[in-house]
Amino acid sequence: MDWLSDNLWSVWLTAAAILGVAELMSLDLVLVMLAVGAIAGAVVALVGAPLVLQLVVAGGAAAAMLLLVRPPVLKRLHTGPELRLGHGKLVGREAVVTERITAHETGRIRVGGEIWSATPYDDLTTIEAGETVEVLQIRGATARVHPIPSLEG
């Protein structure tokens, strides 16, 4: 029994290893948080603290991991990048005007390697060929665009 009390840190590390391997089977991110608590207990045991303090530190570290770390990690894992399909993926992209665009004349833009018909988002705006625009909206097969100011002006 003296060996166990002198080497309690090894028991904590063994528990952490077992919890870590068990986490590989469950993938809940609960057991790995408990394993971190066991590692904290091992560190306190290495310092030579009494068993009660080791239990308190291990429990506190595990609880902190479960309450503070696990929720944001789970949220990050369960939310991926937004998938935009169809013409919605063009909104927000830059395009080059290939034919003059006015409120009365539908022009053309090149965006994403495709030619689209385009009208100005603001009906008072005239956009000349060669200017860079941002696609703000798609209505049917027509892009609603707004010019991007250039630094050369």
Side-chain angles (χ1 to χ4, degrees):
M1 203 62 171
D2 282 338
W3 182 88
L4 185 60
S5 62
D6 291 340
N7 296 302
L8 202 50
W9 61 269
S10 63
V11 174
W12 284 110
L13 286 182
T14 303
I18 291 170
L19 288 167
V21 170
E23 176 63 41
L24 293 175
M25 306 299 174
S26 72
L27 299 176
D28 286 340
L29 296 180
V30 171
L31 298 177
V32 72
M33 303 299 164
L34 298 177
V36 171
I39 291 172
V43 169
V44 174
L46 274 172
V47 174
L51 178 61
V52 174
L53 184 59
Q54 294 173 31
L55 290 170
V56 168
V57 169
M65 293 293 290
L66 286 169
L67 295 174
L68 302 175
V69 175
R70 185 174 180 262
V73 169
L74 280 180
K75 183 178 180 183
R76 176 116 170 124
L77 286 174
H78 291 301
T79 58
E82 181 182 338
L83 181 61
R84 295 169 55 185
L85 299 173
H87 63 268
K89 66 183 176 185
L90 298 177
V91 174
R93 295 197 47 196
E94 289 186 10
V96 176
V97 177
T98 58
E99 290 180 22
R100 184 175 187 226
I101 303 170
T102 68
H104 305 292
E105 300 174 32
T106 300
R108 302 257 185 252
I109 60 170
R110 177 177 297 277
V111 59
E114 300 175 339
I115 300 291
W116 281 73
S117 59
T119 58
Y121 192 77
D122 177 12
D123 289 336
L124 302 175
T125 304
T126 298
I127 308 168
E128 298 297 330
E131 288 189 46
T132 304
V133 294
E134 179 181 2
V135 178
L136 298 179
Q137 184 180 41
I138 302 286
R139 282 201 179 155
T142 304
R144 305 269 306 200
V145 298
H146 189 73
I148 298 174
S150 68
L151 297 176
E152 299 169 3

